[in-house]
Amino acid sequence: MSEVSPKTENIEDKIWITSRVRMISEARMLRNNNWSLFLLAYYSVFTVVLAVFPKYFEAYFVYFDGISVAASVAVLVASLVVGGFRFERTASLFRDCYLALQKLTDSDVDTNAKRQRYSDILQMCPNHSNGDYYDFMVSHTYLNGKRVWSAGEEVKFTPNMVRSYYFRQMVFCVLMLCLVAVPLAFVLAPLIAPMAKVA
């Protein structure tokens, strides 16, 4: 079901839209989970490199001992913080939600029963963010050229949704790039500095 017919009842529209937005929410949580696990492993390896090759860094970084300790503590704190976010668990809740909504869509119960069941399902899982809704509208209508209907009227994306979508994508990419680049720059700096002096 790539589109909702304008003849479909409002509750059907709500169920379909909500299920698709919850899919976006699940994908966001899984992305955050995968990146956080990768970065924790990446920075753990980085702290091991600092501990194994101290002389390599001490010649270039004056406060290397403090930096090494701070990096180890930062990795420990980050692992606790990431564990507290429980991205994978939240993604599972979003998945359960949209599967239940899809099952409700296929059921033969009357409109009032669907409304009640829809409310019950929403109470059992976390709510999606405005950004997830924007992502759905932009990707579904703006990027894929499909249409979304609600209560017999077409729902369209707004310029603000498009700006928000690209801004958040850009911020995420820049943040991940910086987090990956910082340890590399730290490791390569002692190598590059002598070359720069010779040049």
Side-chain angles (χ1 to χ4, degrees):
M1 185 176 181
S2 60
E3 296 186 10
V4 175
S5 168
K7 297 180 180 180
T8 307
E9 292 182 306
N10 186 35
I11 186 59
E12 297 287 349
D13 299 343
K14 286 184 177 180
I15 294 171
W16 185 82
I17 292 173
T18 304
S19 68
R20 292 311 186 271
V21 177
R22 296 298 163 91
M23 290 181 184
I24 298 287
S25 301
E26 181 206 21
R28 176 171 58 86
M29 287 294 143
L30 291 176
R31 180 196 66 180
N32 292 344
N33 183 66
N34 292 336
W35 270 103
S36 62
L37 292 177
F38 165 75
L39 289 172
L40 283 175
Y42 180 67
Y43 274 82
S44 296
V45 171
F46 173 61
T47 57
V48 170
V49 171
L50 295 182
V52 173
F53 303 102
K55 293 183 179 180
Y56 170 77
F57 296 102
E58 286 173 351
Y60 185 80
F61 297 101
V62 178
Y63 301 105
F64 171 73
D65 290 338
I67 294 173
S68 180
V69 172
S72 299
V73 173
V75 170
L76 175 61
V77 173
S79 63
L80 296 175
V81 172
V82 168
F85 282 130
R86 303 180 69 185
F87 292 125
E88 193 170 10
R89 172 60 179 161
T90 306
S92 179
L93 291 176
F94 281 129
R95 176 178 172 80
D96 292 341
C97 182
Y98 72 70
L99 289 178
L101 290 172
Q102 289 176 338
K103 185 176 181 180
L104 179 60
T105 299
D106 297 333
S107 65
D108 296 327
V109 298
D110 60 40
T111 300
N112 290 331
K114 280 194 174 184
R115 283 199 184 95
Q116 183 59 49
R117 181 59 183 151
Y118 173 73
S119 298
D120 293 341
I121 292 173
L122 293 188
Q123 291 177 8
M124 294 186 296
C125 64
N127 194 14
H128 57 258
S129 68
N130 289 336
D132 294 330
Y133 176 72
Y134 292 170
D135 288 353
F136 162 72
M137 287 299 301
V138 171
S139 63
H140 192 78
T141 60
Y142 179 70
L143 298 179
N144 294 327
K146 297 179 181 179
R147 305 169 77 184
V148 175
W149 299 88
S150 180
E153 296 183 359
E154 184 177 0
V155 182
K156 297 183 178 181
F157 66 89
T158 65
N160 182 55
M161 289 181 181
V162 177
R163 286 192 293 269
S164 173
Y165 173 83
Y166 283 112
F167 176 76
R168 283 180 289 104
Q169 296 294 325
M170 181 185 67
V171 168
F172 182 82
C173 291
V174 170
L175 179 60
M176 293 303 105
L177 180 61
C178 290
L179 289 174
V180 171
V182 167
L184 286 177
F186 193 90
V187 171
L188 294 177
L191 289 176
I192 297 175
M195 297 178 185
K197 290 180 180 179
V198 171

